[in-house]
Structure formats: C-alpha cells, structure tokens
C-alpha cells in the first residue's frame, strides 16, 4: 500500500501493565501524565510530522518520566545494574531497528531511531555502547531513588519477588509486583503507521536476559497495523503477540477481532500482558490479560484512557 491519502491522525501510548495502582493519587497522577504526553505528541501529528517522528518523541517523553520503567526510572536487574532495550518499527517501510540491554544513555529509543537508516539494525549491549560513543551521546545515569529503594528492599528479601513494579510508587507494604514498559503507536496524516517500545526490563532479572521490547514479538508494524506490547516479556515472546495481531489484520481481520482473538489465546495460555494498536483505517484498540493497562489515546476528537476498563476495548474505529 502506498500512503498518499490524507487521514485523521490517531495515537495511542502506554506506560506498562500489571496489577492495579495502589491509590487514587497514583491513578490520577498517571492519568494526568499520560494525557499530557498524548496531547504533546498528537500536536506533532496534526502539524504534519511523520508517525515515526511522533513515535520517537512520544517514547522519549515516556522514557524521561521517572514513573515509568524505561529510560529514567528504569528498574534494576539482579546485579543492581540498569540495562535498557528499545525498538522502533516504521510500518510503511516495514523496517525494524533496536537496541538490547544498553546502559548509560538517556533515551534508548534515539539509538533505535538512528539505526533505522543503517544496514545493521539491531544491536546488543556491546554494540549499543559503541554506537552511543560514536554518536557522542553524553553518559547518563537513569537511576532514580525510588527504583534503588525498591531494589534494596528486594535484596533484603533475597529477591523473592519475580519482578519489579510497573511504575515507581511509594512502598506501601502491599504486593506491587508489576510489569513495566512504555510504548507508542501512531497513524499520521499520510496514513503511515509506526510503533515504538522501550523498557528497563522485568527488573531483578538474570544478567543477559533479553526483553520482548526489542523483538517483533513486542513491537511490530506494517502498512496495515502497528502494535506495542507490555507485560512479562517471556509471555509476549511465547505468543509472538505484536507480529501476530499485525499479521491477522494484514490477512483480513478487523483490528478489534485480531486483538480479541490474540488476547483470548493469551488468556487461555495463562499469560500476563497487554498491547496497544492502531490500523490503517484509524481504529484504535487495546487488549490485556493483566489487571490494568496504563494506556491513553487521541482519536482525533478527544483524549481517553484505559485506566478504568476491566477488559480490552475498541476505542474507536471498526
Ligand atoms: N516487557 C518488558 C520485559 O519483560 O522486559
């Protein structure tokens, strides 16, 4: 498909999935921050920016927000280090790029963006560090006090928890095991779709573990649809979720049908995950098997979010 038509831009972003937020203040705070980012990125799309530029900017804003588990505010791995992964897929060119387990940079999505035009487009830890040096990116420490505090608490409990928290919250004693990632999917005025995903990983994981976020299982787009996933990376990889939803749309299912079918399968398989998606017709959909998905969208007329929906939903479209 060639993208020559003029369409109403659409946008959906997420800040992770997992069990419910602890307090009303957390819900209100997350909602306000997600809505602000949606507003800022949607203005770029209205101004005629490409879906790819909008997705990169949206990911950067989410990476820079210390609440979310990507960029600043990333969780610590089992050895107390932060290693981040990010990927970008330009749906029109059906081109994937990404970095896996990079350290010491502010915005991993910027590296994924740079790699879009390269021949070698997915780099692991050593190569990503080399690239950051080549690009003369300043050394940056994404560690926040809250994430350090969470890790220290976990160390006291001998790392009994499977994962770190989806967003950085004040400890309350309640079990707050959650799964964090950020993601953005956009449809621009020319009908082009892009998807981007960035993460600090599960938290507390084994050194060298690879996240779904820099794989087509966790982030995928073509001319028909784009999807960004969040949740337990291994569950997303086993479902090959993002690519599966996109291919189902390519083969004729509506975006809602594709998401619903894929989530039904994921639920049957006992997975813990969520996904956001947009298709070429402008439909916006989210789906989840986890308790909560922190997603917000702009459908051309209004901003909304997924914070109060018990199930996945067709936000707008067909
Ligand atoms: N979905 C993020 C991760 O598991 O690394």
């Amino acid at each position: 498909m060639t993208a020559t038509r003029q369409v109403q831009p659409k946008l959906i972003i997420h800040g992770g999935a997992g069990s419910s937020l602890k307090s009303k203040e957390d819900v209100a705070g997350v909602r306000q921050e997600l809505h602000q980012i949606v507003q800022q990125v949607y203005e770029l799309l209205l101004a005629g920016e490409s879906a790819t530029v909008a997705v990169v900017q949206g990911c950067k804003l989410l990476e820079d927000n210390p609440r979310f588990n990507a960029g600043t505010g990333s969780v610590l791995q089992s050895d107390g280090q932060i290693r981040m992964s990010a990927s970008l897929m330009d749906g029109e060119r059906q081109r994937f790029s990404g970095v896996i387990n990079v350290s010491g940079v502010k915005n991993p999505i910027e590296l994924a963006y740079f790699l879009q035009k390269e021949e070698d487009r997915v780099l692991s830890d050593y190569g990503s560090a080399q690239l950051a040096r080549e690009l003369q990116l300043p050394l940056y420490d994404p560690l926040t006090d809250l994430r350090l505090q969470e890790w220290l608490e976990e160390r006291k409990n001998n790392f009994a928890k499977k994962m770190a928290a989806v967003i950085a919250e004040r400890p309350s004693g309640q079990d707050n095991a959650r799964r964090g990632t950020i993601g953005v999917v956009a449809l621009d005025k020319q009908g082009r779709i892009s998807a981007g995903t960035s993460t600090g990983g599960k938290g507390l994981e084994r050194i060298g573990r690879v996240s779904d976020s820099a794989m087509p299982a966790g982030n995928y787009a073509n001319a028909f649809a784009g999807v960004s996933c969040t949740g337990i990376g291994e569950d997303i990889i086993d479902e090959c979720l993002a690519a599966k939803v996109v291919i189902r749309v390519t083969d004729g299912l509506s975006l809602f049908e594709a998401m619903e079918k894929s989530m039904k399968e994921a639920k049957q398989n006992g997975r813990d995950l969520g996904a956001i998606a947009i298709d070429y017709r402008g439909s916006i959909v989210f789906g989840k098997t986890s308790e909560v998905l922190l997603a917000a969208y702009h459908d051309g007329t209004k901003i909304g979010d997924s914070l109060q929906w018990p199930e996945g939903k067709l936000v707008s479209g067909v």
Side-chain angles (χ1 to χ4, degrees), residues 180-181 199 201-202 209 211-213 231-233 236:
T181 302
T199 189
K202 280 199 292 196
R209 181 247 183 197
S211 164
D212 63 289
S213 300
I232 296 184
I236 296 163

Side-chain angles (χ1 to χ4, degrees), residues 100-102 123-133:
I100 296 170
N101 287 331
V102 66
L123 299 183
S124 65
D125 46 5
Y126 181 71
S128 305
Q130 289 271 81
L131 177 63
R133 263 202 298 278

